[in-house]
């Protein structure tokens, strides 16, 4: 669809432009960043997961990843999410990325957080938008490339007046 | 929205050397969402939203967020960093309209 | 009609702002007193070139004109919708499928806003009204169910159930379909897979955290901007700070705790918002119309100076008692297409502490005013209590009065009487 293609092109250029500017000012800590996957694309969940993770296996995190989301969100505009990963955060063993994914959002890959070991703790929090009741996932990428996932359903509620 | 780019950074009132410190931050920003016309077609225009949040401590990037229109308006972010030395913590935001905003916190040990 | 102070743009000639005109059953178009509110907040109705009437409301709000139905206006002497016995069309057989679609339609009620029915797709039903999941087991006649929907007041005179047929919200044919659907709801109840689906067992809302944390509540950051407003010189050459020395926090300490109150200079009950809209232009020359950003930010600034202090409004003087009585009458007054009073949702005897759809209804007796103005996360805006009132009545089918209408002010006075002794905590953060 022309509009979708045009939008994603703008989004990719925007993201790369930002990365390029950041690189020029030396704000990027690690050289690998400039090739990071673009975010902000409208796509299906499956297309997004495939695009970002290829076919790499994503294992259930068990107790290693604590994903905190409300059971019921009073509205889809502001939904608090936080993730804490049990990780030593040493240079040889740390969490590289946490992705927040909202399965049914038009832009399902909501945000990607990158960590240096100096963060001390693989912890993040953000307020996100949900279009409707959906599973919300935290996909964690370890420094050795392992992918772990925790997910919970968040019900988005509405009022009863019909207004 | 003349308050766009107003940033607030909050750190705990008492920090000891070596603590892993949690930081809260909020920035006033519309995080413009994709608009559709009555037929459901995407309206082609430049949307203004934050795409990057970079946290630097003592000049080094410790955490960064790549963000999208799926992040809330006036977005809140929180993260941790290991307070090894006194110095500056900076949170910098960049949006698609070229806007750059930042907030800082002075890390001191008590 | 007197326009508000300088700075307001002249509204287009299309708008008929007939403050006092009562055009037969169409009702008064605005409350009869002059208003100092922004155009979207005045409750104006305009007549378009093709003769249809539409309401001028805030951006994104419906434009429907509900002029047929009575309002809170003191000059509106129309009775509530007449109690009507409905007659079920003879030989009518309803379609249960159509009935279910009508029952869950947000364009109508939805009926699920108050009444639970079975179905995994029923989200979120409320329990402000009785659970209808097995209503067919009660073997009520079709005619009885028809009357309950058409106008339940025939059966229960004090009911909060809107008179859906008498108001014309549902046609007789639609009610026949609804009845047919209800008659299919026989027991046994399907087992509940998810306790949140049933409002009786649903998790209560947990709120949005610390309202005074500027990294949690954007309104706190916006209120800080009002400090600059406090010191800024208006067109008259003066700033608030010139008369109110020592900074807003010191100069205004304790002031907001006494509002709303009767302000002798203006001869009426006023909230801080009402007062600023008159006081600003008169002193500094700065227009501060109701519902403007300037008014809301300064109101937050003034109220924050009293945070933590108990609400201490006057409830004793004869004039205030009379205003409280009028406010209480307004709170219990049935208005709009749905023929609802505030009391129908917000008193413990009726809907309070129950769910209306997904919204947990507040209880007036617990005090509902001391966190206003509040940040609204669903709107990404600061709302004062007047805008909250204006919104509440819109889906219920009542044309709004101007934000600074004395009728709203006196209802607010009545509401605030339940906050007496409790600490101010502004700005709030809510859905």
């Amino acid at each position: 669809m022309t509009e979708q293609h045009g939008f994603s092109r703008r989004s990719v250029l925007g993201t790369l432009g930002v990365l390029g500017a950041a690189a020029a000012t030396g704000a990027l800590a690690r050289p690998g960043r400039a090739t990071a996957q673009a975010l902000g694309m409208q796509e299906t969940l499956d297309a997004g997961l495939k695009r970002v993770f290829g076919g790499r296996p994503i294992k259930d995190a068990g107790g290693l990843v604590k994903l905190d989301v409300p059971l019921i969100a009073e509205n889809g505009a502001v939904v608090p999410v936080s993730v804490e990963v049990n990780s030593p955060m040493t240079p040889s063993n740390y969490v590289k990325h946490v992705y927040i994914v909202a399965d049914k959002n038009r832009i399902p890959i909501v945000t990607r957080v990158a960590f240096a070991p100096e963060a001390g703790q693989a912890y993040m929090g953000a307020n996100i938008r949900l279009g409707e009741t959906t599973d919300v996932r935290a996909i964690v990428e370890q420094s050795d490339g392992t992918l772990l996932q925790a997910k919970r359903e968040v019900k988005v509620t509405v009022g009863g007046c019909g207004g | 929205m003349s308050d766009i780019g107003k940033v607030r950074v909050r750190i705990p009132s008492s920090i000891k050397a070596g603590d892993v410190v949690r930081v809260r931050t909020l920035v006033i920003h519309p995080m413009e969402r994709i608009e559709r016309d009555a037929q459901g077609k995407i309206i082609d225009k430049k949307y203004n939203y934050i795409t990057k949040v970079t946290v630097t401590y003592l000049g080094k990037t410790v955490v960064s967020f790549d963000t999208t229109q799926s992040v809330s308006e006036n977005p809140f972010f929180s993260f941790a960093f290991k307070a090894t030395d006194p110095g500056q913590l900076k949170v910098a935001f960049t949006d698609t309209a070229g806007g750059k905003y930042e907030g800082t916190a002075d890390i001191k040990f008590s | 009609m007197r326009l508000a102070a300088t700075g307001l743009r002249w509204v287009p000639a299309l708008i008929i702002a007939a403050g006092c005109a009562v055009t037969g059953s169409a009702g008064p178009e605005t409350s009869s007193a002059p208003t100092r509110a922004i155009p979207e907040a005045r409750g104006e109705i305009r007549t378009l070139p093709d003769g249809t009437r539409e309401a001028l409301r805030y951006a994104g709000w419906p434009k429907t004109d509900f002029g047929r139905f009575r309002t809170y206006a003191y000059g509106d002497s129309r009775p509530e919708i007449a109690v009507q016995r409905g007659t079920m069309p003879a030989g009518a057989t309803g379609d249960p499928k159509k009935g279910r679609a009508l029952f869950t339609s947000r364009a109508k009620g939805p009926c699920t806003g108050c009444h639970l029915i079975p179905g995994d797709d029923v989200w979120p039903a409320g329990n402000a009204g009785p659970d209808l999941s097995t209503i067919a087991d009660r073997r009520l006649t079709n005619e009885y169910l028809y009357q309950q929907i058409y106008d339940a007041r025939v059966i229960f005179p004090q009911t909060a159930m809107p008179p859906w047929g008498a108001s014309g919200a549902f046609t007789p044919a639609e009610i026949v379909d609804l009845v047919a659907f209800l008659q299919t709801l026989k027991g046994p109840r399907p087992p509940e897979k998810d306790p949140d689906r049933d409002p009786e067992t649903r998790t209560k809302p947990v709120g949005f955290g610390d309202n005074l944390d500027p990294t949690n509540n954007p309104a706190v950051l916006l209120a800080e901007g009002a400090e600059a407003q406090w010191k800024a010189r208006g067109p008259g050459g003066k700033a608030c700070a010139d008369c109110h020395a020592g900074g807003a926090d010191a100069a205004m300490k304790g002031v907001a705790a006494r509002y709303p109150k009767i302000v002798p200079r203006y001869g009426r009950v006023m909230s801080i918002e009402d007062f600023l809209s008159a006081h600003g232009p008169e002193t500094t020359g700065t227009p501060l119309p109701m519902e403007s950003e300037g008014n809301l930010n300064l109101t937050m600034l003034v109220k924050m100076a009293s945070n933590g202090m108990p609400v201490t409004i006057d409830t004793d003087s004869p004039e205030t008692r009379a205003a409280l009585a009028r406010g209480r009458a307004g709170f219990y007054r049935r208005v709009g297409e749905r023929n609802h009073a505030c009391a129908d949702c917000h008193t413990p005897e009726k809907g309070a502490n129950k769910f209306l759809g997904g919204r947990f209804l507040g209880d007036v007796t617990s005090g509902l005013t001391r966190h206003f103005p509040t940040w609204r996360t669903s709107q990404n805006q600061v709302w004062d209590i007047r805008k909250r009132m204006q919104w509440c009545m819109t889906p219920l089918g009542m044309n709004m009065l101007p934000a600074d209408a004395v009728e709203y002010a006196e209802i607010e006075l009545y509401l605030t009487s339940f906050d007496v002794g409790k600490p101010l905590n502004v700005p709030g953060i809510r859905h």
Side-chain angles (χ1 to χ4, degrees), chain A residues 81-101:
Chain A
V81 177
S82 74
V83 175
E84 197 181 319
V85 186
N86 188 351
S87 162
M89 295 303 277
T90 62
S92 54
N93 182 4
Y94 64 100
V95 169
K96 268 173 65 172
H97 294 116
V98 171
Y99 292 79
I100 302 296
V101 176

Side-chain angles (χ1 to χ4, degrees), chain A residues 74-75 155-161, chain C residues 106 109 123 194 358-359 377 431:
Chain A
E74 288 193 62
N75 59 67
K155 287 199 208 31
V156 178
T157 198
V158 288
C161 297
Chain C
R106 290 187 72 77
W123 171 261
D194 180 358
R359 297 285 160 247
T377 57
H431 142 83

Side-chain angles (χ1 to χ4, degrees), chain C residues 1 140 153 255 258 268 280 351 385 393:
Chain C
M1 186 185 92
L140 301 162
R153 294 171 299 173
V255 170
R258 300 192 289 270
R268 54 159 280 179
I385 198 169
M393 297 319 290

Side-chain angles (χ1 to χ4, degrees), chain A residues 141-154:
Chain A
E141 183 177 22
Q142 311 269 43
S143 46
D144 67 358
T146 326
L147 293 171
L148 300 172
Q149 170 179 283
K151 84 174 182 195
R152 292 254 300 278
E153 185 190 60
V154 177

